[in-house]
């Protein structure tokens, strides 16, 4: 790295520290550009992207079809608001609804907004359809969840860091341990309108519940006339090897929230997907967003839906799963304590004897792989599903070298 070039990185980091609120602790890496699964920093060093912007760039960076759609749509119309009709939104809504086997969608921008929307819909459904007395609707979530950073989403969270100093919180929520059907059974009462879960808890370390748990949740919620809302913001759209995670579980939720990859790595696009008997409770003026469902978002979202409808990417995730997971699992007992996940999405727990997950991520950067820690001991590996077999091998080789070096140093 020559001094004049690395000065560029320092300048950027310095400016961010001076002029941006300090709400992230980024890895010491300043990017300039990205293409496919590769990102390049301002000093010209390339890294294989295993963060994929928290699964927002699941198709890789600058995916040619999406760039083409971006060019075409921006020449026509980008932003209009839903106060008017713009050709294309209907196709996007139909495509996304059908991709999930549902009847309709409500378009928003971010994951947190989609989740807020789902909770509002569930409450309205509770009062209008289920007949819960006004103001009493209860929504049950899981301990360790991550559904976003808005006031309502952190009201549903038990993460002390996310919540500190942000109260008072939105009422009407109860948390139960994830993967504990008896606890959920005990929590459901006559005022319960929804159970709201991530099918795999991502930010909590890629926690996959026991086989059959979500099926039991579905049975229980149906029995008590309670909606099942699945937050598929991270698990959805191919990340776990099926289009949606609920498909692998053999269940049908009432509402599904999606975001991240729906924007094709180009812009924020999110949605709630459901049937008319639930989403139909909304009426004009009762919910909305200036940017939700804008023409550019709809065009990109439709292109993402079309890609997923081919099934090719889900197949690629499934086929590369073993190539990613087997070498990681081979490290258990030698610096790694557990490997969890599905498709091309792994959560790897690091033995504290060899350092923290962040230490390992910094070493991985040296080897040309960008990965991100989540919680203190877990590294999340989420390469875009356009990676090749050779690129997956490169990731696992770099990871193995880093873990082995730290394991030997700790002996
Ligand atoms: N839900 C899940 C499961 C997530 O992982 C995230 C973000 O990581 C969100 C919601 C929030 O999405 P956004 O950051 O777009 O608001």
């Amino acid at each position: 790295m020559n001094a004049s070039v690395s000065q560029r990185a320092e300048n950027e980091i310095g400016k961010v520290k001076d002029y941006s609120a300090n709400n992230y602790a980024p890895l010491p890496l300043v990017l300039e550009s990205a293409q496919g699964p590769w990102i390049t920093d301002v000093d010209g060093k390339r890294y294989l992207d295993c963060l994929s912007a928290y699964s927002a760039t699941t198709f890789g960076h600058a995916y040619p079809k999406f760039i083409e759609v971006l060019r075409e749509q921006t020449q026509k119309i980008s932003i209009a608001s839903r106060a008017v009709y713009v050709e294309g939104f209907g196709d996007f809504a139909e495509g996304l609804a059908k991709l999930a086997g549902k009847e309709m969608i409500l378009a928003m921008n971010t994951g947190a907004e989609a989740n807020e929307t789902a909770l509002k819909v569930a409450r309205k459904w509770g009062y209008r359809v289920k007949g819960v007395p006004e103001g009493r609707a209860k929504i049950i979530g899981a301990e360790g969840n991550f559904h976003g950073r808005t006031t309502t989403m952190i009201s549903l969270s038990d993460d002390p860091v996310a919540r500190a100093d942000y109260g008072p919180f939105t009422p009407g929520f109860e948390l139960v341990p994830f993967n504990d059907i008896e606890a959920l059974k005990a929590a459901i009462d006559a005022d319960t309108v929804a159970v709201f879960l991530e099918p795999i808890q991502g930010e909590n370390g890629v926690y996959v519940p026991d086989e059959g748990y979500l099926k039991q949740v579905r049975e229980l919620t149906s029995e008590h006339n309670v909606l099942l809302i699945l937050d598929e913001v991270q698990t959805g759209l191919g990340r776990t090897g099926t289009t949606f995670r609920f498909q692998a579980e053999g269940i049908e939720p009432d509402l599904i929230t999606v975001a991240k990859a729906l924007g094709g790595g180009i812009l924020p696009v999110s949605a709630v997907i459901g049937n008319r008997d639930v989403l139909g409770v909304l009426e004009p003026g009762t919910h909305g967003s200036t940017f939700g469902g804008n023409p550019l978002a709809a065009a990109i979202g439709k292109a993402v839906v079309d890609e997923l409808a081919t099934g090719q990417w889900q197949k690629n995730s499934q086929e590369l799963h073993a190539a990613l997971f087997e070498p990681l699992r081979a490290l258990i007992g030698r610096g790694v304590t557990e490997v969890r996940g599905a498709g091309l999405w792994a959560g790897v727990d690091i033995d504290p004897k060899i350092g923290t997950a962040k230490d390992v991520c910094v070493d991985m950067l040296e080897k040309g792989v960008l990965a991100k820690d989540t919680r203190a001991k877990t590294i999340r590996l989420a390469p875009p599903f356009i990676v090749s077999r050779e690129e997956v091998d490169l990731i696992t080789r770099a990871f193995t070298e880093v873990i082995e070096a730290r394991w030997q140093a700790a002996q």
Side-chain angles (χ1 to χ4, degrees):
M1 205 188 269
N2 82 52
S4 68
V5 180
S6 57
Q7 189 62 45
R8 281 176 67 188
E10 266 176 43
N11 287 349
E12 177 62 26
I13 293 170
K15 232 176 212 176
V16 171
K17 284 192 173 147
D18 285 347
Y19 291 103
S20 168
N22 187 27
N23 60 332
Y24 276 84
L27 288 161
L29 170 71
V30 180
L31 301 182
E32 186 182 53
S33 62
Q35 187 70 50
W38 292 93
I39 50 180
T40 307
D41 72 10
V42 289
D43 301 326
K45 182 166 178 185
R46 283 184 359 130
Y47 305 84
L48 228 170
D49 188 359
C50 282
L51 169 60
S52 300
Y54 298 100
S55 291
T57 57
T58 280
F59 291 88
H61 298 272
Y63 189 66
K65 280 190 195 162
F66 302 160
I67 296 293
E68 195 46 45
V69 170
L70 177 74
R71 274 205 198 95
E72 274 175 23
Q73 189 61 45
T74 47
Q75 279 164 17
K76 290 198 261 177
I77 180 168
S78 299
I79 304 293
S81 96
R82 298 269 322 281
V84 291
Y85 292 97
V86 181
E87 194 175 43
F89 178 63
D91 279 346
F92 165 53
E94 179 186 13
L96 183 58
K98 287 186 171 163
L99 190 73
K102 294 285 185 194
E103 291 170 356
M104 61 203 308
I105 72 155
L106 190 157
M108 297 296 282
N109 311 285
T110 64
E113 280 179 307
N115 287 336
E116 290 261 359
T117 303
L119 298 191
K120 285 173 76 177
V121 168
R123 283 178 168 183
K124 212 178 221 337
W125 173 88
Y127 299 128
R128 295 277 180 93
V129 180
K130 182 166 178 174
V132 170
E134 184 57 39
R136 297 229 325 239
K138 175 168 124 179
I139 292 170
I140 302 173
E143 291 170 6
N145 74 69
F146 186 89
H147 298 294
R149 300 288 199 170
T150 58
T151 310
T152 293
M153 288 309 131
I154 61 164
S155 300
L156 183 68
S157 164
D158 60 351
D159 176 357
V161 178
R163 287 166 61 96
D165 299 327
Y166 292 138
F169 297 107
T170 308
F173 299 133
E174 185 174 330
L175 293 185
V176 295
F178 188 56
N179 200 24
D180 181 341
I181 196 69
E182 292 308 320
L184 183 62
K185 213 176 267 176
I188 291 181
D189 60 20
D191 293 335
T192 304
V193 296
V195 171
F196 181 41
L197 299 172
E198 296 156 86
I200 294 176
Q201 287 194 329
E203 296 303 300
N204 199 25
V206 194
Y207 271 98
V208 185
D210 292 341
E211 211 183 317
Y213 167 70
L214 287 168
K215 214 171 223 166
Q216 287 177 302
V217 173
R218 176 68 283 186
E219 281 161 15
L220 192 61
T221 47
S222 298
E223 194 184 312
H224 292 271
N225 194 22
V226 166
L227 300 178
L228 174 59
I229 308 172
L230 290 186
D231 175 346
E232 294 244 20
V233 166
Q234 207 159 160
T235 53
L237 308 176
R239 171 53 64 196
T240 60
T242 46
T243 310
F244 296 93
R245 181 63 189 170
F246 71 78
Q247 293 163 330
E249 299 280 347
I251 60 165
E252 199 189 324
D254 298 293
L255 292 175
I256 306 136
T257 59
V258 283
K260 296 192 189 279
L262 190 57
I266 309 268
L267 79 171
V269 185
S270 73
V272 182
I273 315 171
N275 282 343
R276 193 169 303 278
D277 59 348
V278 181
L279 270 181
V281 297
L282 291 183
E283 295 143 349
T286 59
H287 189 62
S289 153
T290 301
F291 290 102
N294 68 70
L296 185 56
I300 297 283
K302 173 67 167 58
V304 168
V305 166
D306 288 347
E307 279 298 297
L308 287 168
T310 68
Q312 168 198 356
W313 299 114
Q314 298 85 324
K315 200 163 154 263
N316 203 44
S317 280
Q318 285 168 18
E319 281 172 3
L320 291 176
H321 174 83
L324 178 64
F325 276 66
E326 275 170 17
L328 300 176
R329 291 210 165 104
L331 293 166
I332 292 175
R334 294 189 296 124
V336 164
T337 56
E338 196 173 287
V339 179
R340 297 173 298 273
L344 281 179
W345 198 35
V348 186
D349 283 355
I350 301 302
D351 187 332
K353 278 194 241 125
I354 69 162
T356 64
K358 187 155 188 176
D359 295 334
V360 172
C361 290
V362 171
D363 291 359
M364 292 279 282
L365 275 186
E366 288 292 315
K367 305 253 176 215
V369 176
L370 171 64
K372 184 79 177 80
D373 50 301
T374 178
R375 310 285 195 234
K377 64 170 193 230
T378 309
I379 294 160
R380 184 182 17 198
L381 294 172
F385 45 47
I386 53 159
V387 281
S388 63
R389 170 65 203 250
E390 291 69 33
E391 286 160 342
V392 170
D393 291 345
L394 194 152
I395 297 163
T396 55
R397 224 173 16 249
F399 192 80
T400 304
E401 283 168 15
V402 166
I403 298 294
E404 280 178 348
R406 285 187 160 267
W407 179 249
Q408 268 152 32
Q411 299 314 300

